[in-house]
Each structure stands twice: as structure tokens, then as C-alpha cells.
């Protein structure tokens, strides 16, 4: 069985990583069966044995692939039916789309929900997470970084013009149907949904309508995923 | 003859708009002949008669198309040889790439070179430009917005990780060869090259090597374009 080694909280059914959600949706998109293998930040035995340090890592038969975008490229080239990118030019351009979602969505959201990720971990893992992530949130503590976050939603949404322009022209970021660009943005939002009560899409009708469509895909896989709040 | 109505400076041979450069390169990419028709900001008679307000506007036979991205989509669908996007999914995703280049390149650069655009215009056009653009540059004047701009290069280049990641993996943003993603970023840099002495790519080796490759394309069309400084 294909295995996706992916981050989990102290409740191992809770899979919060934005990157694993991008891959879960991609596997469903291509109709490829897989088993999600829940691992915490410090449970790296299997992936380190394969030469990697980060989640998600995919084991597909004898092939190990690490890094969500590299996994998606691997899936596209190995299983070309039901395209995620629409050809080699689409694969090439995916670096830029990943970067857009990183700079306009994941980057701004991380400091605001890092405290929720921390609270979802057991004590020893939480200590590691707090120590390694506090220097990245631009505040004295994870708690301080999240303070007043609802007041930041309007400013964050200002960075989403590109998504709104795309969704005015077409129902999905990838056109008439969803594909990897959609799964990448969905992963970022599902990260919030699964581990946090923060809803940065609130009040943005085009985006929330799109998110609803994404949550309905593949029998409602995203919608029925176990969450901490919700 | 196909006609591209495009912005020019008081020297009508100087065509500085980032958007027109994206389309010029796209026309060359597809091997489509065209005549550039130089117009200043307030010389809108022809395009207004066609129902549009902004440059560039393309007249292709009896068809008028406005807005650089819409012109590129039109070219791709009308002349599918030598793809600019690589299929409908690529066309769909181009909204996001346009947005990335807008937020990480054109947005940060505009306040820093707006004064150069102003200085390149004849007096009456410069007055219009100064009045309409000063509220957009986040400073009291176009001159003040450009002050100390060389000191801002490092911070602007921090937003270019996505471009560097792509260019570490492949020679062009679109893969093995250039296409519309490349022409969009090239347009932003050519805007600086043609109208300003500001070189925001300075010191970024991956980006400057790519820019050199872009300037060499199509017989050095970008490199030999008339410039104010250079």
C-alpha cells in the first residue's frame, strides 16, 4: 500500500499540515489509494532512514519522495492521467504558484496559528515546537504572535487579489475543475480549519464559496476530517 | 498589419510599459508580426473608440483586445502553436502568476521608479501622471518615494524566493524555454531598464543570469530597445 508519512497532533487522527493536505487531495484527484501514516514532529525514524527530514514523505512501492511539491511532480509524471498541472510547462510554473501561496497565505497565517499547532501537540513535542518556532513568529511568544489576529484578517485578504481575479473568471484556480494550485491553497486553509478556530477567509465571499466547493470534493474528505475546533 | 497600441515617453521610440513588453515578447515568441503604435497616457483616441481605457491594446484584424493578460490569452487561443501557457490549465493559472509578479515585483518597484516615468513624459502628460500617481506611492512626492531606493533592493529581493527556486530547477520560469511567466517578469525588469537607472536585480546572480538570457532572445530585441539611461 502507498504510504503518506504525515504530521499529526496528540490525537493521531488529526492531520493538520497544509502540505499533507495538498498531497492527500492530489492522491484523491488521481484516484490513487494510500494510507496516511501519522507521525509527530520528532518521530522521524522511517523518513530519516530513507534520507529525509521533513513531512510529508511518500512511499510509493520502493520509491520514497519528500517535499509536497516534489511529491506532486512525481505523481504527475508517474501517473499522468487526470493532470494536476497540465503538462511540463504547468509543472515548471508550479514553483511560482507555490511561492505565491507561501508569501500571501502561509507566511502571514503561520504566526497567527502557530500557538494552536503547539497546543495540539503532546508536551515533549510542544517544547520542541515552541523553541524552534518562536524565533520565526516576530513576537516574544507564540501566544503574543496570535493576539488580535481577527483584526489582521482584512489586511491579509488584501494580498489575495490574484485568487479573487482567478475565481471571478473561473470556478477553480486551475480552471473549470480543481488541480494542484487549488489543493495548495486548500491545504493552507485546511491547516487553519483542522488545528485552529481562526478563519482568515471570513467575509470574503468568492474565497469562502471556493472553499465550500473544495470541502465537497471526493465525498467531502476535507469537510469530514477530524478537527480540534469545529 | 497587427497593431499594438503601447505607451511611449516624449521620445516616442522609448516604450517603457512592463505590460507592453510582456506582449511584445509574446508576439515574437509566436512569430507574429506587429507594428508598435506609440501613444502617451492621454492619447487614447483610438483605444477609446474601441471601448478601452488602458494600454496596451492589440488590434488584430478586426479584433480589439485590451489588458496584457487578456491579450496573451487571446493570442494563445487564436494562435495555439508555440504555447505561452501550455494548455487551458496553464491559462487558468496565469492569473496567479500575474498576481505573484504584481505583488513581489511590480508593486514594490512602482514607487521607486514612478519619478523616472514622470521625467520621461512631456510636460502636460507629466502633470497628469504626477497628480494621479502621487497618491499611490506612499510618500509626499514621486521624488521622495524614490529616495534611498538602492537601500531597498535587499528587502525587495527577499520576496523573490519563488523565482530563485524555479531558476535553480530550470533555466526559465516556464521550464526549458521561456514563455509567458518569463515575459511577465521580464516586462517588469525591462520597465526599469528602459526608463530608469534603478537596477533592482543587482547582485542576485540567478536572476541576472536569467535576465541576460531574456535579453538575448529574438535577436536581442529587449537588449537593443532604446533606453533613457544605458
Amino acid at each position: 500500500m502507498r504510504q503518506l508519512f504525515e504530521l499529526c497532533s496528540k490525537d493521531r487522527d488529526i492531520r493538520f499540515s497544509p502540505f499533507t493536505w495538498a498531497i492527500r487531495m492530489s492522491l484523491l484527484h488521481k484516484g490513487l489509494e494510500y494510507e496516511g501514516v501519522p507521525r509527530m514532529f520528532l518521530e522521524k525514524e522511517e523518513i530519516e532512514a530513507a534520507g529525509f527530514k521533513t513531512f510529508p514523505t511518500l512511499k510509493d512501492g520502493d520509491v520514497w519522495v519528500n517535499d509536497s511539491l516534489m511529491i506532486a511532480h512525481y505523481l504527475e509524471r508517474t501517473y499522468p492521467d487526470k493532470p494536476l498541472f497540465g503538462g511540463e510547462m504547468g509543472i515548471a510554473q508550479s514553483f511560482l504558484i507555490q511561492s505565491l501561496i507561501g508569501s500571501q497565505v502561509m507566511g502571514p497565517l503561520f504566526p497567527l496559528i502557530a500557538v494552536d499547532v503547539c497546543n495540539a501537540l503532546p508536551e515533549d513535542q510542544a517544547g520542541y515546537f515552541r523553541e524552534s518556532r518562536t524565533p520565526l513568529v516576530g513576537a516574544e511568544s507564540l501566544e503574543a504572535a496570535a493576539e488580535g489576529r481577527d483584526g489582521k484578517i482584512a489586511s491579509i485578504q488584501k494580498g489575495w487579489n490574484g485568487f479573487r481575479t482567478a475565481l471571478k473568471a473561473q470556478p477553480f484556480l486551475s480552471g473549470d475543475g480543481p488541480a494542484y494550485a487549488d489543493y495548495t491553497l486548500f491545504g493552507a486553509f485546511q491547516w487553519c480549519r483542522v488545528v485552529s478556530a481562526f478563519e482568515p477567509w471570513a467575509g470574503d465571499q468568492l474565497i469562502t464559496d471556493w472553499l465550500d466547493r473544495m470541502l465537497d470534493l471526493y465525498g467531502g474528505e476535507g469537510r469530514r476530517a477530524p478537527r480540534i475546533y469545529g
Side-chain angles (χ1 to χ4, degrees), chain A:
Chain A
M1 173 61 99
R2 204 169 281 114
Q3 290 183 306
L4 183 64
F5 292 84
E6 56 182 353
L7 286 171
C8 66
S9 78
K10 58 191 162 192
D11 172 348
R12 287 186 180 261
D13 287 338
I14 293 190
R15 316 288 165 90
F16 59 83
S17 157
F19 306 108
T20 215
W21 275 102
I23 298 307
R24 286 174 154 239
M25 298 298 277
S26 298
L27 288 160
L28 290 161
H29 177 104
K30 289 203 174 273
L32 298 169
E33 292 195 9
Y34 74 98
E35 171 198 8
V37 183
R39 292 291 179 263
M40 297 197 203
F41 280 102
L42 298 174
E43 297 175 343
K44 302 196 181 182
E45 294 79 2
E46 298 104 330
I47 64 164
E48 283 186 346
F52 300 119
K53 292 182 175 172
T54 57
F55 300 100
T57 292
L58 179 75
K59 181 180 186 301
D60 186 19
D62 291 338
V63 178
W64 289 79
V65 197
N66 170 256
D67 182 286
S68 58
L69 189 59
M70 295 304 103
I71 295 172
H73 290 181
Y74 163 81
L75 293 174
E76 184 79 339
R77 289 179 170 134
T78 310
Y79 309 100
D81 279 357
K82 300 176 189 158
L84 287 167
F85 299 100
E88 285 298 321
M89 200 180 284
I91 291 181
Q93 296 180 354
S94 68
F95 293 108
L96 302 187
I97 291 174
Q98 185 90 357
S99 165
L100 175 71
I101 294 170
S103 68
Q104 306 302 104
V105 188
M106 312 244 264
L109 297 186
F110 174 73
L112 308 182
I113 68 167
V115 65
D116 298 314
V117 174
C118 190
N119 291 339
L121 301 172
E123 212 168 302
D124 58 327
Q125 305 270 338
Y128 154 80
F129 185 87
R130 182 177 291 280
E131 196 175 327
S132 59
R133 268 50 170 190
T134 301
L136 309 178
V137 297
E140 286 196 357
S141 67
L142 303 185
E143 286 74 10
E147 255 172 44
R149 63 188 179 186
D150 283 337
K152 295 176 181 167
I153 289 180
S155 134
I156 291 172
Q157 289 182 355
K158 276 191 195 160
W160 296 356
N161 277 337
F163 305 117
R164 282 187 292 266
T165 304
L167 294 173
K168 276 176 202 163
Q170 54 204 26
F172 294 96
L173 301 178
S174 306
D176 289 337
Y180 197 70
D182 298 273
Y183 302 143
T184 309
L185 181 59
F186 174 73
F189 288 170
Q190 184 76 335
W191 182 37
C192 296
R193 288 186 75 254
V194 164
V195 85
S196 176
F198 186 48
E199 301 190 338
W201 51 82
D204 190 323
Q205 198 62 44
L206 268 170
I207 300 283
T208 52
D209 288 349
W210 167 87
L211 180 56
D212 269 337
R213 290 194 289 279
M214 295 301 295
L215 289 166
D216 287 338
L217 293 173
Y218 312 121
E221 177 85 2
R223 200 183 291 283
R224 67 167 182 258
R227 302 161 65 191
I228 292 178
Y229 304 83

